[in-house]
Amino acid sequence: MKLSNKILYALLLVFTISGCTKLDEEQFGRLSPANYYKTEQEALSSVLGIYQALQQVAHIGDPWRISEYGTDEFIVPGRASGGWFDQNNIDMMVHNVRPDNQAIGRAWKQIFQVIGTANAVIESLNSSPSAGNFKAVAAEAKALRAYGYFYAMDLWGNVPIATQARIDPANLPATNSRAEVFRFVEQELIAAAADLPSVTTVNRATYYPRLTREAIFTALATLYLNAEVYTGTAKWTEANAMCDNVIRTNAYTLEANTVDNFKATNEANSKEIIFAFSIDPSRTSGSNQFILYAQPALDQQRYGLPFAPANGYSTYQEALDRYETIDNRKKLIEYGPQTYLDGRPLVDARGVQLNLVAVKDYVSAQDNEGYRVLKYVPDGVKWAGSSADNDLVLTRYADILLTKAEALFRIGNTGDALTLVNQIRARSKASTLGTITIQEIENERAREFIWEGHRRRDMIRFGSFFNKTWTFKTTVDPVWKGIYPIPTEQLASNPKLKQNPNY
């Protein structure tokens, strides 16, 4: 079900009006701890604003896009027919990012809006006369803030840690090291897990989509999986332990088909989704615009859409080639001659069948260049203009299984790692592997999680971000390109920040 609590929808309007993006400004207007946070519902309504800010970071917003640009699964070429050309995007695609890149600058602001909003809410909750009753809600807010810092650390490495609602302009925060931010995120998530309810103790239909203890364990598993990149010290055993914390609940299992996670019915009844964002554009509660941005215009005819998609997001030949023909996941990539669902050729007004080919020119591509990923399918969607109501998925049980597989492989347990990878492959009717390699684990993650925001992080961890080439990315790179430069405008506004090396 969608997040339907009436008080949350009503108060959404308050946050839309009074929210802001600066850390040193009041976040929630005249609603003070003394006269407002008296009940759990009132406290929870403030946390809704953090969820909404994080949604923009994790999906569709600039932070999601810059986590996909520069990988071998995501390209947005300029079109010869006009539109989509953006030098900022092209620079990321070819690993030539400068501090004045506008997309990087927007992403920084969006991530720190999550952090700033969370700081204001946490301070208000802690100051409330009823603070003792809000322990779980405060843990929820701190976990969401930790998510914000995780993305900041992942993308920029060295960022300032600020936990106060208002920043003193005379005492701006200095840069913290990536290892320090890692420890902060780790400690905040561990503390939150102790205070949040387990999925086994709540009514999933009514509690969804809020964070559970298992959602925090999943975030910690991802944190530990990448610990060697972030801190120089591997934490494979810790990653495996966090996965086991989720697995032993017996609360999750794989859906029958991967695509089931991304349908309009992918909500509280899902057996696989661990953390998602509730989307209902008809009630101004979020927006899912994957189909708008990613599909070719003729998909309006194919799927009976109320709008023509904008023909933007595309994927590479390298991504398509990772799938076997028998792999059901390959069916969600549109490539080659296109047909209606009944098999008839999908043709334009001239009677010419749409034939999607690999991108040949990322500056001036033809409209049929670029394979498309139908990530969120239109089945059963209730449209509000061009916005779908598919809930946006952040983490799911497949990630737990593949994270555990990788952690086990890296500590020498290849047998169990192989079993887990084959469990994922069996769901999609892919062939059964007889042996497992670290390259195959990377490839399986790429196949399973295409466009879910994992690929850049995975490629950096496996090394392929630097030592491999693909279409338009034709040279190997030094490892310092694994983090983005601190945006120019942030350096100008806070002289205590330090630019990342070599930028």
Side-chain angles (χ1 to χ4, degrees), residues 69 76-80 82-91 93 361-365:
Y69 281 124
V76 183
R79 297 290 175 184
W84 286 110
F85 176 83
D86 189 328
Q87 190 64 48
N88 297 285
N89 300 341
I90 289 172
D91 288 344
M93 283 186 264
D361 184 345
Y362 62 74
V363 174
S364 184

Side-chain angles (χ1 to χ4, degrees), residues 401-434:
L401 297 182
L402 288 180
T403 295
K404 182 176 176 65
E406 182 180 342
L408 288 175
F409 182 92
R410 291 186 185 273
I411 59 180
N413 187 344
T414 58
D416 287 342
L418 175 62
T419 298
L420 290 166
V421 171
N422 276 331
Q423 185 178 344
I424 296 294
R425 292 176 63 80
R427 191 253 296 268
S428 295
K429 311 301 182 186
S431 63
T432 301
L433 299 178

Side-chain angles (χ1 to χ4, degrees), residues 98-177:
R98 298 186 304 273
D100 62 354
N101 186 289
Q102 294 180 17
I104 301 296
R106 292 192 301 267
W108 176 287
K109 290 179 180 178
Q110 290 171 22
I111 288 174
F112 277 90
Q113 181 179 2
V114 175
I115 294 166
T117 303
N119 283 341
V121 171
I122 293 165
E123 187 172 295
S124 294
L125 289 170
N126 290 340
S127 301
S128 169
S130 303
N133 300 325
F134 302 148
K135 192 173 182 180
V137 178
E140 206 168 346
K142 288 183 178 180
L144 293 168
R145 179 177 65 185
Y147 252 111
Y149 271 114
F150 169 78
Y151 284 112
M153 171 192 65
D154 182 62
L155 294 169
W156 290 284
N158 312 292
V159 297
I161 298 175
T163 58
Q164 61 271 41
R166 291 176 177 271
I167 302 298
D168 181 359
N171 187 26
L172 297 173
T175 298
N176 290 92
S177 71

Side-chain angles (χ1 to χ4, degrees), residues 309-470:
N311 201 35
Y313 301 166
S314 304
T315 195
Y316 289 103
Q317 184 72 45
E318 286 84 353
L320 177 67
D321 289 345
R322 274 192 283 265
Y323 296 92
E324 298 172 293
T325 301
I326 60 174
D327 193 327
N328 282 338
R329 294 169 296 192
K330 191 173 186 178
K331 296 177 183 177
L332 296 179
I333 300 182
E334 297 177 358
Y335 64 97
Q338 298 299 293
T339 64
Y340 284 95
L341 300 181
D342 62 6
R344 290 177 296 124
L346 181 63
V347 299
D348 61 20
R350 301 168 298 162
V352 177
Q353 184 177 16
L354 176 61
N355 182 28
L356 295 174
V357 300
V359 177
K360 300 180 179 66
D361 184 345
Y362 62 74
V363 174
S364 184
Q366 298 301 312
D367 286 344
N368 69 323
E369 290 183 31
Y371 306 134
R372 314 307 160 83
V373 180
L374 191 64
K375 192 67 190 181
Y376 287 85
V377 296
D379 308 38
V381 166
K382 295 178 181 177
W383 296 98
S386 58
S387 295
D389 65 344
N390 311 61
D391 285 2
L392 290 163
V393 179
L394 187 59
T395 55
R396 53 191 178 93
Y397 192 59
D399 195 13
I400 287 292
L401 297 182
L402 288 180
T403 295
K404 182 176 176 65
E406 182 180 342
L408 288 175
F409 182 92
R410 291 186 185 273
I411 59 180
N413 187 344
T414 58
D416 287 342
L418 175 62
T419 298
L420 290 166
V421 171
N422 276 331
Q423 185 178 344
I424 296 294
R425 292 176 63 80
R427 191 253 296 268
S428 295
K429 311 301 182 186
S431 63
T432 301
L433 299 178
T435 59
I436 192 70
T437 64
I438 197 65
Q439 181 64 66
E440 189 54 49
I441 290 175
E442 179 183 2
N443 288 342
E444 193 60 34
R445 288 188 63 87
R447 287 186 281 262
E448 181 68 19
F449 302 123
I450 188 169
W451 286 16
E452 291 183 50
H454 294 282
R455 186 62 179 150
R456 183 177 187 273
R457 192 161 55 237
D458 286 352
M459 293 187 79
I460 288 170
R461 184 174 70 256
F462 287 105
S464 55
F465 190 80
F466 312 108
N467 59 35
K468 289 190 176 181
T469 60
W470 53 91

